[in-house]
Amino acid sequence: MSVKIAPLSGFPEWLPAERVVEQLFLDVIRETFELHGFVSVETRAVEPVSRLVGKGGDADKEIYGVHRLAGDADGGSATDPDAEAGDPDKALGLHFDLTVPFSRYVLENAGKLTFPFRRYQIQKVWRGERPQEGRFREFTQCDIDIVDAGSLAAHYEAEMPLVIADVFSKLPIGEYRIQVNNRKIPEGFYLGLGLTDVVGTLRIVDKLDKIGPEGVTELLAEAGATDEQIGQCLALAEISSTDTSFADRVRALGVSHPTLDEGLAELTAVMEAAMAQRPGVLVADLRVARGLDYYTGTVYETQLVGQESYGSICSGGRYDALASDGRTTYPGVGISIGLSRLLARLVSTGVVRASRPTPTCVVVALGVEEDRSRAMAVAAELRGRGIATEIAPSAAKFGKQIKFADRRSIPFVWFLGADGASDSVKDIRSGEQVDAEAATWTPPAEDLRPSLERVEA
């Protein structure tokens, strides 16, 4: 009986050529994070549901629960073998981001960590949302965070987007824009307007790019805001600048509140630091709010220029109260590249590709099967010198083996010398063939490994 295989939407699986692109991106990201002094950690895939809920705004309803298919023989819980039946504190869920599990990791290991602690984390996360372009139910995030004990210096909030700018400068993603805001600005502004449901208002305004001013106006009105308050909220959201002039434009709206003043000062400091290091890389955009509840200060979003409707491909912010053991609070700031989301756009549109879909640089041809041991010795010699090599799957005419290499975009075919003759290697792109020894031959640097290519329309 035949079995029909149906794909699961929202769980991307790359083809080999696409996976090469992903691996090359990961190499750049990992290397750049480490250049900035971040150390790698990995956390478990599951957390107690009680810890996950209430941390992610609307993400609560998207958390995947985890349970065993069968409960204990005595009728115990199917969530955790050690749990008592019905104990909600033992229910497990897959993490929907990497910040919440990282905050728990900090609390559990605080006595073994040196603060300020700089970590990077590259892992899968899961969200049970409706799959659509660029939105998946399983995807890879690449996070960096800096946490400290008791207090966290404000200069780290300027460092986060500068690290990301360094990463993106090495990747062929095209023009991008890192938008930055401070949650205290809209919070103080809304309080100054007399809007007491700050979180609810933030969530509505955060939908501006998705539903437009008309949709936001309708939702704010349903929430009880007056026409004047709605107009002021929209006016604030329209303010953006690549320098510190945003502060004067906010003050010109005539709203005052201590929290607003604090947020303007903090965002001004971030922009000044960024302007000194990488002018123009940051845009103060006061519509950016971020929907996750744990952010308390600076927040970031990043968009591909000309593809703003696609949404953010890198985001994050400051959180002051996510990690606390009752005695010590560990404030932090972090930013995350949505790698699966970014690659989905770049690969699907054909903008980015790998120079070849395999790491193999050389195929050792086999004229007769009896030469396989010699071929294995050549391959071992080349691999020992860092040259990715494979052996032809079976003996065949050399023309057929060249076609095998060509189909896989492998640039070189190695021919074993017969009757004491020297070995030779052929560049199948140019047709050039030269004598070679496995102990000394080296391909051009650009052919040694696959590389990233940007294809302009």
Side-chain angles (χ1 to χ4, degrees):
M1 183 178 69
S2 63
V3 177
K4 184 177 180 180
I5 304 297
L8 288 175
S9 61
F11 294 85
E13 294 178 326
W14 302 118
L15 292 172
E18 298 163 342
R19 176 64 172 159
V20 170
V21 173
E22 183 182 41
Q23 289 289 89
L24 291 171
F25 267 66
L26 285 168
D27 289 344
V28 170
I29 293 168
R30 185 183 303 108
E31 178 183 340
T32 307
F33 285 172
E34 292 180 357
L35 283 173
H36 286 264
F38 293 88
V39 298
S40 176
V41 305
E42 181 170 292
T43 59
R44 64 197 185 208
V46 298
E47 297 290 333
V49 170
S50 58
R51 177 157 186 82
L52 294 174
V53 296
K55 303 294 185 183
D58 291 338
D60 288 0
K61 60 188 177 185
E62 300 169 354
I63 295 170
Y64 276 112
V66 178
H67 64 88
R68 293 180 298 122
L69 292 179
D72 292 339
D74 60 0
S77 171
T79 57
D80 186 327
D82 298 323
E84 296 181 6
D87 184 354
D89 292 331
K90 291 294 186 179
L92 300 177
L94 293 172
H95 55 226
F96 61 84
D97 77 347
L98 298 178
T99 306
V100 172
F102 174 58
S103 67
R104 185 267 310 158
Y105 177 93
V106 169
L107 290 176
E108 289 188 1
N109 296 283
K112 304 172 185 177
L113 303 176
T114 300
F115 294 98
F117 181 53
R118 306 166 67 91
R119 86 82 164 89
Y120 77 88
Q121 191 170 347
I122 300 175
Q123 275 184 252
K124 299 279 190 182
V125 301
W126 296 268
R127 292 181 190 173
E129 60 182 345
R130 181 175 65 85
Q132 52 187 299
E133 184 187 14
R135 290 197 175 275
F136 306 108
R137 293 187 283 181
E138 178 184 74
F139 51 97
T140 299
Q141 288 191 179
C142 307
D143 285 26
I144 50 172
D145 284 79
I146 301 175
V147 297
D148 210 341
S151 63
L152 180 72
H155 62 80
Y156 293 125
E157 296 173 46
E159 182 179 352
M160 291 290 106
L162 294 176
V163 175
I164 297 302
D166 194 12
V167 171
F168 286 167
S169 70
K170 302 172 184 176
L171 294 172
I173 69 170
E175 191 176 357
Y176 62 93
R177 180 184 298 114
I178 301 178
Q179 302 157 298
V180 60
N181 193 9
N182 190 296
R183 285 281 284 262
K184 295 176 184 178
I185 294 175
E187 289 176 7
F189 192 84
Y190 300 154
L191 291 171
L193 286 175
L195 294 169
T196 56
D197 185 6
V198 171
V199 173
T201 306
L202 276 170
R203 289 185 183 175
I204 292 173
V205 176
D206 194 38
K207 301 178 187 293
L208 194 56
D209 287 333
K210 297 178 182 178
I211 63 178
E214 296 81 7
V216 168
T217 296
E218 182 178 344
L219 291 177
L220 287 174
E222 291 175 0
T226 66
D227 289 344
E228 181 180 356
Q229 290 171 329
I230 293 172
Q232 288 282 64
C233 288
L234 293 175
L236 179 71
E238 290 301 312
I239 295 175
S240 67
S241 68
T242 56
D243 53 29
T244 59
S245 62
F246 68 89
D248 290 335
R249 294 171 62 186
V250 173
R251 294 188 181 99
L253 295 177
V255 178
S256 61
H257 192 276
T259 302
L260 173 61
D261 293 337
E262 189 176 344
L264 289 173
E266 291 177 2
L267 184 55
T268 296
V270 169
M271 290 299 294
E272 287 175 343
M275 289 164 59
Q277 296 297 317
R278 295 187 81 127
V281 75
L282 255 64
V283 177
D285 190 328
L286 303 194
R287 76 170 57 194
V288 174
R290 302 298 302 141
L292 297 174
D293 291 345
Y294 51 69
Y295 292 128
T296 56
T298 302
V299 287
Y300 319 97
E301 287 190 350
T302 309
Q303 296 181 335
L304 298 173
V305 173
Q307 304 180 64
E308 288 79 5
S309 62
Y310 189 64
S312 181
I313 48 93
C314 176
S315 56
R318 175 162 180 148
Y319 46 92
D320 285 315
L322 188 58
S324 176
D325 60 10
R327 300 184 306 275
T328 305
T329 298
Y330 300 88
V333 61
I335 194 166
S336 172
I337 300 171
L339 183 62
S340 301
R341 179 173 176 78
L342 175 59
L343 289 180
R345 172 50 61 99
L346 297 177
V347 172
S348 66
T349 57
V351 172
V352 174
R353 68 186 181 194
S355 59
R356 62 178 187 260
T358 173
T360 304
C361 179
V362 181
V363 170
V364 181
L366 273 182
V368 294
E369 192 62 34
E370 288 73 19
D371 285 340
R372 184 167 292 278
S373 61
R374 288 177 58 201
M376 292 176 67
V378 168
E381 184 80 41
L382 291 171
R383 291 171 189 145
R385 298 174 49 241
I387 302 170
T389 307
E390 61 182 271
I391 302 169
S394 61
K397 292 182 179 180
F398 289 153
K400 184 176 181 180
Q401 298 191 48
I402 290 173
K403 288 182 180 179
F404 168 80
D406 186 50
R407 284 196 303 270
R408 301 184 60 203
S409 299
I410 299 171
F412 297 97
V413 176
W414 191 280
F415 298 102
L416 300 172
D419 300 325
S422 300
D423 290 358
S424 63
V425 63
K426 182 172 186 172
D427 184 334
I428 66 172
R429 300 159 301 182
S430 67
E432 180 183 10
Q433 185 168 338
V434 297
D435 290 346
E437 294 183 5
T440 58
W441 178 83
T442 300
E446 62 271 20
D447 290 327
L448 187 58
R449 290 178 178 80
S451 60
L452 292 167
E453 299 176 344
R454 183 171 177 85
V455 182
E456 300 296 343

